[in-house]
Amino acid sequence: MKILFPGLGALALALSAAPVAAKPIAFARGSTVMAEYGAGTMNEVQAFYAPRYWWSAGAGWTELMSEDGALERDIVYVRGNLLAKRWNLPGAQANIFVWGGLGRATGSDFAGSTLARSAGFQVDYETRRVYSAFRTDLQESDYFSHRIDTLQLGIAPYEHDYDTLATWIVLQGRHYTNGLYDGIETALLLRLFKGGTWVEVGATTDGKLQAMAMFNF
Amino acid sequence: MKTFINTLFLLLITAASAISAKTIEMDVNGLVCAFCAQGIEKTLKGFDATAEVFVSLENRIVAVALKEGAELTDEELTKAITDSGYAVVAIRRSDVPLQVIRDRVTREADDE
């Protein structure tokens, strides 16, 4: 393995308060479960199954909370993911994913529950050394509409192989609409994966901790 | 007549070698993430003919060791890789054990 930054070791971690941009479809005939704790803004649990490498379906739960605590949404949903386009290159891969779903949402600023709609897309490009992804998620209903835009840029201190531990340092910028967070939320994440296990730990420049774990099987 | 027999003999030997190939090595594009490439191993291990699978992101290869007397066609292998979401560039067959390929990949990595 070639080490890009010898002795990089433990990192100052920044918080990410929304799901990190892992691919929404892992592999054919594979199941994925994911749980994320995003202190203060977003928590999420998802489970998907991919009958083919180009689509998956499943369900999830998302909790959104504004910075000041005034707004809260609780959304349970079913969702389908589609790999719209992939480029397999020597030493690189690029993808376009799209998704959409329906669910029920409750909120702190409206009574009862309401039909919730979600949609989004992700474009990414990666090699074994660099990772880049842009993702947008729209969560809306008759009572709220929030769009979450996320840009991730990652670098690997060494190039992982199939049976070795992968380590990535990911810089993330995120923008929320309609009252969840003002400005651009910046985070630094440490990403580790091996086999079917993927974990991420990070912190935002606000000093809040987030953790995410994902399993493929 | 002698030329014909020699040619026929060579053809039979070549065909026999292909049939008895122990290992199949494939050059694959898009191999950059081990987390995602697990699907390739899972798919290839689903064949009765498969004894073992080796994946190297560094060399961008997927190698399959066949069970004794078993065979996988190029079409089956290409479909397996394509159905896993990747692209096959080339397929090579040989009599060398899979460990020889592992050792070659390790040597190449150490030499860098």
Side-chain angles (χ1 to χ4, degrees), chain A residues 109-155:
Chain A
D109 51 346
F110 60 92
S113 66
T114 184
L115 177 69
R117 301 169 291 274
S118 63
F121 72 86
Q122 175 174 308
V123 294
D124 59 62
Y125 172 84
E126 66 179 305
T127 69
R128 290 166 64 219
R129 182 69 75 177
V130 296
Y131 174 84
S132 59
F134 175 76
R135 171 191 178 118
T136 188
D137 283 280
L138 177 66
Q139 298 274 5
E140 66 167 28
S141 73
D142 289 345
Y143 297 96
F144 62 82
S145 178
H146 301 289
R147 200 187 75 243
I148 306 163
D149 303 320
T150 306
L151 175 66
Q152 286 193 337
L153 300 171
I155 189 163

Side-chain angles (χ1 to χ4, degrees), chain A residues 29 88-89 161-162 195 216, chain B residues 30 35 38 41-43 57:
Chain A
R29 293 174 299 285
N88 284 309
L89 310 167
D161 214 315
Y162 188 68
N216 280 348
Chain B
F35 191 72
Q38 293 174 76
E41 182 178 10
K42 189 173 179 178
T43 299
L57 304 186

Side-chain angles (χ1 to χ4, degrees), chain A residues 77-193:
Chain A
Y77 57 87
V78 292
R79 195 174 100 177
N81 305 297
L82 182 69
L83 173 62
K85 179 68 180 176
R86 167 169 288 174
W87 293 265
N88 284 309
L89 310 167
Q93 189 183 80
N95 301 280
I96 300 176
F97 294 96
V98 296
W99 56 83
L102 294 171
R104 297 297 298 182
T106 59
S108 58
D109 51 346
F110 60 92
S113 66
T114 184
L115 177 69
R117 301 169 291 274
S118 63
F121 72 86
Q122 175 174 308
V123 294
D124 59 62
Y125 172 84
E126 66 179 305
T127 69
R128 290 166 64 219
R129 182 69 75 177
V130 296
Y131 174 84
S132 59
F134 175 76
R135 171 191 178 118
T136 188
D137 283 280
L138 177 66
Q139 298 274 5
E140 66 167 28
S141 73
D142 289 345
Y143 297 96
F144 62 82
S145 178
H146 301 289
R147 200 187 75 243
I148 306 163
D149 303 320
T150 306
L151 175 66
Q152 286 193 337
L153 300 171
I155 189 163
Y158 60 88
E159 292 177 315
H160 78 286
D161 214 315
Y162 188 68
D163 56 356
T164 65
L165 177 70
T167 301
W168 288 85
I169 305 156
V170 179
L171 179 66
Q172 177 175 286
R174 175 162 283 144
H175 176 255
Y176 303 84
T177 65
N178 294 332
L180 287 180
Y181 188 90
D182 288 332
I184 304 294
E185 183 184 74
T186 305
L188 194 62
L189 309 169
L190 174 65
R191 171 182 296 169
L192 304 170
F193 59 85

Side-chain angles (χ1 to χ4, degrees), chain B:
Chain B
M1 184 64 180
K2 191 175 179 182
T3 304
F4 172 76
I5 291 173
N6 287 342
T7 304
L8 185 62
F9 181 72
L10 280 173
L11 284 172
L12 286 171
I13 292 294
T14 304
S17 297
I19 291 169
S20 69
K22 290 181 183 177
T23 309
I24 305 171
E25 191 175 339
M26 295 174 278
D27 294 334
V28 176
N29 280 351
L31 278 180
V32 294
C33 170
F35 191 72
C36 306
Q38 293 174 76
I40 295 176
E41 182 178 10
K42 189 173 179 178
T43 299
L44 291 172
K45 282 188 171 179
F47 289 116
D48 289 339
T50 301
E52 193 178 351
V53 177
F54 171 67
V55 179
S56 169
L57 304 186
E58 172 79 20
N59 294 72
R60 304 197 289 269
I61 64 166
V62 176
V64 178
L66 298 174
K67 293 177 181 173
E68 190 66 36
E71 180 56 279
L72 286 170
T73 65
D74 285 5
E75 290 72 26
E76 287 173 312
L77 291 163
T78 300
K79 186 175 188 301
I81 299 296
T82 303
D83 286 351
S84 300
Y86 295 84
V88 176
V89 176
I91 299 176
R92 296 179 294 279
R93 296 168 183 273
S94 70
D95 290 334
V96 301
L98 193 64
Q99 190 57 45
V100 171
I101 297 175
R102 288 182 197 273
D103 292 342
R104 186 190 80 216
V105 166
T106 303
R107 271 199 310 276
E108 289 171 359
D110 291 342
D111 288 344
E112 287 184 356

